[in-house]
Amino acid sequence: RTEEMLLEVNNIEVIYNHVILVLKGVSLTVPKGGITALLGGNGAGKTTTLKAISNLLKSERGEVTKGSILYRGERVQDLSPSELVERGVIQVMEGRHCFEHLTVEENLLTGAYTRKDGRAAIEADLEMVYSYFPRLKERRKSQAGYTSGGEQQMTAIGRALMSRPETILLDEPSMGLAPQLVEEIFEIVRDLNQKEGVSFLLAEQNTNVALRFATYGYILESGRVVMDGPAAELRENPDVKEFYLGMS
Ligand code: ATP
């Protein structure tokens, strides 16, 4: 692949609790401007891969024991999650993770915590987020815990956008949402990618929808990449059709 590379994961191994080997040598790249999908069933290691990249494994007693992770050519394995945010990489965790007692707008503003530019720039970005998520503007004064699952997912993505990221690691955005909403959220991801230039690494069990929106895909099985290629090619691959798209 000839595009400019942002993220390079080289042959990483992850072990939980010193003994449970979960990633057995995973390599992948995320080019600037792409939507890269990380696919695979329950327990394949998608979340572990994202957490390894954003250095969130420690609290789960997990560690990267082999391999390297580079962002713009520099090793980022020893950076804290907030240092990574300052480099332009932010993770939206699975399960949405809003601050339930804060309003939608307060949640969005917490995403700007690493920024050093002034209030006007932050206000402008709040409007940018609302332009992609008009529903959030309507709900901005509502307590996040009382908004719908789809609105909470939107709030979580909007909150990440408030840090002005170059790359978003998005974990399972479709989880628990009705098909119509999944479609809506993926369309917004595509818009953000095309209009704001945000690059995505997207972990998804829903292969069908992910491969329609992604530019490139990796398929993980039991902690290994078993296949990768441009999304359009994966969609036509007979094995992918049979095992992941539910048709042959
Ligand atoms: P899901 O869609 O369920 O999130 P996934 O592909 O993201 O699946 P992971 O959550 O990365 O998969 O889990 C990969 C494997 O690692 C699973 O077998 C899981 O049981 C194991 N695992 C995850 N977290 C831990 C942990 N903290 N300690 C021990 N094993 C773990």
Side-chain angles (χ1 to χ4, degrees):
R1 298 162 80 192
T2 53
E3 312 97 312
E4 181 186 351
M5 285 305 156
L6 292 178
L7 182 67
E8 292 170 67
V9 173
N10 300 310
N11 206 22
I12 59 166
E13 195 174 273
V14 169
I15 296 184
Y16 285 109
N17 286 317
H18 304 294
V19 288
I20 311 166
L21 177 63
V22 167
L23 296 190
K24 303 162 185 164
V26 168
S27 298
L28 60 87
T29 56
V30 175
K32 189 163 177 57
I35 298 178
T36 304
L38 187 56
L39 306 164
N42 215 325
K46 304 179 298 297
T47 298
T48 300
T49 304
L50 296 194
K51 286 187 171 170
I53 297 166
S54 46
N55 216 343
L56 289 167
L57 286 174
K58 216 172 273 165
S59 60
E60 312 218 16
R61 300 179 51 78
E63 67 180 316
V64 178
T65 48
K66 258 194 206 154
S68 65
I69 302 170
L70 306 178
Y71 193 74
R72 291 193 163 279
E74 287 176 44
R75 196 184 144 93
V76 290
Q77 263 145 289
D78 308 314
L79 299 184
S80 68
S82 67
E83 285 169 326
L84 209 56
V85 173
E86 287 173 24
R87 301 271 180 110
V89 184
I90 192 160
Q91 177 159 354
V92 178
M93 306 249 250
E94 186 175 50
R96 311 191 265 273
H97 287 279
C98 292
F99 298 109
E100 294 185 357
H101 300 292
L102 299 183
T103 66
V104 166
E105 185 154 296
E106 286 164 347
N107 266 278
L108 296 177
L109 289 171
T110 62
Y113 75 103
T114 54
R115 290 176 52 165
K116 294 173 181 78
D117 45 2
R119 191 167 174 86
I122 292 173
E123 295 277 343
D125 283 347
L126 203 51
E127 286 310 312
M128 177 273 287
V129 170
Y130 288 145
S131 73
Y132 287 95
F133 298 102
R135 270 166 189 252
L136 295 186
K137 187 161 192 172
E138 289 164 26
R139 303 286 266 142
R140 68 186 187 279
K141 300 256 190 282
S142 307
Q143 208 171 308
Y146 291 116
T147 64
S148 70
E151 287 160 353
Q152 289 186 32
Q153 181 61 265
M154 292 176 188
T155 302
I157 298 172
R159 177 176 186 273
L161 285 171
M162 290 300 292
S163 71
R164 277 269 163 207
E166 181 174 53
T167 302
I168 295 182
L169 312 176
L170 185 54
D171 198 359
E172 208 93 39
S174 77
M175 197 173 64
L177 302 182
Q180 177 63 37
L181 260 173
V182 172
E183 200 69 21
E184 196 177 318
I185 286 183
F186 272 84
E187 279 168 8
I188 295 168
V189 164
R190 178 161 62 193
D191 271 3
L192 288 167
N193 174 254
Q194 292 177 351
K195 296 180 191 156
E196 302 295 322
V198 179
S199 304
F200 284 87
L201 175 61
L202 184 102
E204 251 310 334
Q205 271 191 58
N206 187 337
T207 311
N208 218 321
V209 73
L211 284 182
R212 274 194 290 115
F213 287 90
T215 42
Y216 200 88
Y218 291 86
I219 299 181
L220 271 184
E221 272 176 26
S222 311
R224 289 196 173 88
V225 174
V226 293
M227 208 186 294
D228 69 293
E233 283 176 24
L234 291 179
R235 276 201 307 269
E236 298 306 321
N237 180 296
D239 289 336
V240 176
K241 280 189 182 176
E242 184 176 349
F243 296 111
Y244 290 96
L245 298 175
M247 50 181 155
S248 46

